[in-house]
Amino acid sequence: MSLRLIKYSPYTILFNQNFSSSNHTYSKREIYLMKFIDETGIEFISEAAPLYPFSKETKSDIINSLSKLLNAVINLDTIANDLYSLPPSIKYGIEQAFLYKSIQDCNPLIIFNYPETIFVNSLFSLNQKFSDDIFPTVKIKIGNNFSNELEIIKNIPSEVKIRLDVNGLWDLETAKKNLEILSQIKNIEYIEDPCRTLEDNIELGAEKLVKIAIDYDCRNNDNLKMLEQIDEIDFLILKPALSGSLFELADIITKNRKKIIITSAFESYLTRHSLILLASLLDHNYAHGLSTGTFIKNDISEELYLIRNGEIKIDSLKYPNNLLINV
């Protein structure tokens, strides 16, 4: 199985509102679309979606690698042996194209579970009013004013599962004090990156006050394998499009011993579709962070697996080949 890269181009994803992490605010997202052709003349589009500054790869890394790959015939051995020393997001994007080709050929390179129901969390902003259309699991970014945030969290109905994301804004002493309080709220599912350093988050996990999830230190497949061995960590939040090999990742998560949550980093639906498929491999019913499409103004493809009431139904294996733009 081989593909040839015949074109690449940058594409700017625009958001309906700004999104912030602990050290960066995003109003848009730059990705790189890649057009491949196979030996029969069928074209496949995928994307490389680095996320600065979360990714170590730079814009020049992406452009240089794509320039070297242009018109090259690529096979799976090329990718597996990393002959081009590819940045992680490009490696994921190329394997995404191979995955979609294998689905087109009715011989998928990964055996996915379907029919399957994937559960999805919604994103809840502290400045919005809680409404009935919120999904059964919500994610809330906190860390700026704990007293105010606590009052809002307490008023969320007890049947709704709550995920809190601090983005590493607390020091260890503050985190211990706040987790003592939060431990009284029984519908909190976990707290994500309460402190910046992994060492501090491991110490918090040993307290067993609130389940600890790690996102910031879970950047690639090697990190994932390392973090799976740490008993004090309960959940791993994975952004697969930044992690490197899609096929290696699929193998890792089918053997995982921790609860892995698949989450989008605001990529286009070309990638979110592959994230949905990866989520189907996990043997748990925890919600995944895959509802970011509603925040994108100019997505590239219509969604094949729609989110309804916090659920995605996978009834057959397909891939996004009808695009809303010309590549």
Side-chain angles (χ1 to χ4, degrees), residues 269 273 276 303-307 312-314 316-318:
Y269 188 69
H273 179 273
I276 293 168
E303 301 196 12
L304 299 178
Y305 303 129
L306 298 177
I307 302 173
I312 299 172
K313 303 288 189 182
I314 301 179
S316 62
L317 199 57
K318 45 197 172 185

Side-chain angles (χ1 to χ4, degrees), residues 220-233:
N220 55 49
N221 294 345
D222 288 338
N223 288 160
L224 178 60
K225 288 183 279 190
M226 179 271 292
L227 289 166
E228 277 198 330
Q229 306 306 312
I230 301 175
D231 291 335
E232 293 82 0
I233 302 302

Side-chain angles (χ1 to χ4, degrees), residues 172-271:
L172 183 56
E173 182 180 351
T174 300
K176 285 184 177 181
K177 180 181 68 175
N178 292 346
L179 262 61
E180 283 276 4
I181 298 169
L182 291 170
S183 67
Q184 305 305 308
I185 303 174
K186 301 308 179 185
N187 53 326
I188 292 178
E189 193 167 68
Y190 61 68
I191 188 161
E192 186 176 325
D193 288 339
C195 296
R196 168 56 64 200
T197 70
L198 179 60
E199 292 75 17
D200 284 350
N201 287 323
I202 290 173
E203 183 169 338
L204 286 172
E207 301 277 339
K208 301 299 180 184
L209 295 168
V210 177
K211 292 186 182 298
I212 301 296
I214 296 297
D215 176 10
Y216 189 79
D217 291 288
C218 197
R219 296 188 180 204
N220 55 49
N221 294 345
D222 288 338
N223 288 160
L224 178 60
K225 288 183 279 190
M226 179 271 292
L227 289 166
E228 277 198 330
Q229 306 306 312
I230 301 175
D231 291 335
E232 293 82 0
I233 302 302
D234 301 287
F235 290 85
L236 302 177
I237 313 301
L238 185 63
K239 296 177 172 67
L242 306 176
S243 68
S245 170
L246 185 159
F247 297 122
E248 180 189 34
L249 175 60
D251 183 62
I252 292 170
I253 65 178
T254 55
K255 301 170 183 174
N256 78 95
R257 54 187 285 270
K258 293 240 184 276
K259 302 306 180 187
I260 294 174
I261 306 300
I262 302 293
T263 184
S264 164
F266 293 93
E267 305 89 359
S268 85
Y269 188 69
L270 280 175
T271 289

Side-chain angles (χ1 to χ4, degrees), residues 15-279:
F15 299 150
N16 296 319
Q17 63 186 65
N18 290 351
F19 292 91
S20 298
S21 66
S22 59
N23 57 6
H24 201 78
T25 297
Y26 301 91
S27 60
K28 58 186 178 181
R29 177 93 156 79
E30 187 169 77
I31 62 173
Y32 295 84
L33 299 176
M34 298 180 287
K35 179 186 283 189
F36 298 90
I37 191 168
D38 73 0
E39 56 277 359
T40 67
I42 297 176
E43 294 179 350
F44 298 89
I45 311 298
S46 66
E47 71 178 291
L51 182 63
Y52 319 110
F54 193 92
S55 305
K56 291 184 178 179
E57 54 201 304
T58 65
K59 184 174 182 178
S60 59
D61 291 335
I62 300 295
I63 297 297
N64 290 339
S65 291
L66 289 173
S67 298
K68 290 177 184 177
L69 288 171
L70 192 61
N71 294 315
V73 176
I74 306 167
N75 57 47
L76 288 176
D77 288 339
T78 304
I79 304 305
N81 296 322
D82 206 10
L83 298 183
Y84 291 95
S85 299
L86 297 173
S89 65
I90 292 182
K91 192 168 189 176
Y92 185 93
I94 293 174
E95 293 191 11
Q96 182 188 106
F98 274 106
L99 174 63
Y100 292 163
K101 173 174 165 53
S102 73
I103 293 173
Q104 161 74 24
D105 294 343
C106 298
N107 188 23
L109 290 167
I110 300 171
I111 305 304
F112 295 104
N113 299 322
Y114 67 93
E116 184 86 350
T117 298
I118 307 299
F119 298 95
V120 179
N121 69 250
S122 55
L123 301 175
F124 177 65
S125 173
L126 290 169
N127 59 14
Q128 75 182 80
K129 185 177 180 181
F130 198 88
S131 61
D132 292 336
D133 60 356
I134 292 291
F135 296 163
T137 302
V138 299
K139 178 177 178 177
I140 309 170
K141 287 187 177 290
I142 65 170
N144 294 311
N145 187 323
F146 184 67
S147 296
N148 290 347
E149 293 160 352
L150 182 61
E151 289 308 307
I152 295 171
I153 293 166
K154 285 180 176 178
N155 287 318
I156 293 176
S158 60
E159 65 271 16
V160 175
K161 297 174 184 175
I162 302 170
R163 297 171 170 181
L164 302 176
D165 184 1
V166 185
N167 280 130
L169 292 175
W170 293 338
D171 59 46
L172 183 56
E173 182 180 351
T174 300
K176 285 184 177 181
K177 180 181 68 175
N178 292 346
L179 262 61
E180 283 276 4
I181 298 169
L182 291 170
S183 67
Q184 305 305 308
I185 303 174
K186 301 308 179 185
N187 53 326
I188 292 178
E189 193 167 68
Y190 61 68
I191 188 161
E192 186 176 325
D193 288 339
C195 296
R196 168 56 64 200
T197 70
L198 179 60
E199 292 75 17
D200 284 350
N201 287 323
I202 290 173
E203 183 169 338
L204 286 172
E207 301 277 339
K208 301 299 180 184
L209 295 168
V210 177
K211 292 186 182 298
I212 301 296
I214 296 297
D215 176 10
Y216 189 79
D217 291 288
C218 197
R219 296 188 180 204
N220 55 49
N221 294 345
D222 288 338
N223 288 160
L224 178 60
K225 288 183 279 190
M226 179 271 292
L227 289 166
E228 277 198 330
Q229 306 306 312
I230 301 175
D231 291 335
E232 293 82 0
I233 302 302
D234 301 287
F235 290 85
L236 302 177
I237 313 301
L238 185 63
K239 296 177 172 67
L242 306 176
S243 68
S245 170
L246 185 159
F247 297 122
E248 180 189 34
L249 175 60
D251 183 62
I252 292 170
I253 65 178
T254 55
K255 301 170 183 174
N256 78 95
R257 54 187 285 270
K258 293 240 184 276
K259 302 306 180 187
I260 294 174
I261 306 300
I262 302 293
T263 184
S264 164
F266 293 93
E267 305 89 359
S268 85
Y269 188 69
L270 280 175
T271 289
R272 294 200 314 280
H273 179 273
S274 67
L275 304 186
I276 293 168
L277 295 180
L278 285 173

